[in-house]
Amino acid sequence: MSAIDAVGGIAAVLTTLSFLPQAARTIRTGDTNAISLAMYAMFTAGVAFWLVYGVLLSSAPIIIANSVTILMAGLILTLKTRAVLRARRSRER
Amino acid sequence: MSAIDAVGGIAAVLTTLSFLPQAARTIRTGDTNAISLAMYAMFTAGVAFWLVYGVLLSSAPIIIANSVTILMAGLILTLKTRAVLRARRSRER
């Protein structure tokens, strides 16, 4: 593995695993107030495109990294969407 | 541009621009409570490695996308860190 590959590998590990503590915090606290729905909607869609890109290129690192990330980001998006819908329903009452 | 490049381009635009609404929300509300410090510390460090990777590969798309993202992620990290330090100081009083 070249030094360039190592830098890319460290980058991929850090940006992929960074969503773990956010998902853990969101599950633990149930608090999504400061989280942007637009961010997670766009980000999850983007990661889905990265996943398709990885499949088209048959790139295992791209497929693996984005499979992990889409689970975390999709989970945070689901929790945020539920909170938004819950808040909307309680306003309508 | 091939269809594969187009899929990668859409992926890059979505995941890069997704941090804009989060940065805007954080600036507007000043609320960082639900945001994970560990996530933004790891993510910002990871994006810095992606930036170095882009420079080593002389890849303009990687450099441009990660320059935009590091600004947003770094801003959110700064606001979160300030909030954590402020909360710690007020607990110590």
Side-chain angles (χ1 to χ4, degrees), chain A residues 1 5-21 61-62 64-66 68-69 72, chain B residues 38-39 41-47 49-50:
Chain A
M1 193 172 65
D5 287 345
V7 170
I10 295 168
V13 168
L14 282 170
T15 52
T16 299
L17 293 188
S18 69
F19 285 87
L20 261 171
I62 298 180
I64 294 166
N66 287 288
V68 175
T69 309
M72 314 287 172
Chain B
M39 169 184 164
M42 285 174 74
F43 189 80
T44 307
V47 173
F49 273 93
W50 279 125

Side-chain angles (χ1 to χ4, degrees), chain B residues 53-74:
Chain B
Y53 183 69
V55 171
L56 292 173
L57 289 182
S58 306
S59 161
I62 298 179
I63 294 170
I64 294 167
N66 288 288
S67 298
V68 175
T69 309
I70 206 166
L71 288 178
M72 315 285 172

Side-chain angles (χ1 to χ4, degrees), chain B residues 74-88:
Chain B
L75 178 70
I76 297 164
L77 177 62
T78 304
L79 294 170
K80 175 67 187 181
T81 306
R82 272 194 206 160
V84 168
L85 293 174
R86 211 182 301 124
R88 190 171 296 171

Side-chain angles (χ1 to χ4, degrees), chain A residues 29-83:
Chain A
T29 63
D31 178 13
T32 59
N33 207 40
I35 284 174
S36 162
L37 178 62
M39 170 184 161
Y40 278 91
M42 285 173 75
F43 189 80
T44 307
V47 174
F49 274 93
W50 280 125
L51 205 49
V52 173
Y53 183 71
V55 171
L56 292 174
L57 289 182
S58 305
S59 161
I62 298 180
I63 294 171
I64 294 166
N66 287 288
S67 298
V68 175
T69 309
I70 206 166
L71 288 178
M72 314 287 172
L75 178 71
I76 297 164
L77 177 62
T78 304
L79 294 171
K80 176 66 188 181
T81 305
R82 272 195 205 159

Side-chain angles (χ1 to χ4, degrees), chain A residues 34, chain B residues 21-32 35 75-76 79-80:
Chain B
Q22 180 67 67
R25 184 186 181 94
T26 307
I27 292 168
R28 197 178 65 242
T29 64
D31 178 13
T32 60
I35 283 174
L75 178 70
I76 297 164
L79 294 170
K80 175 67 187 181

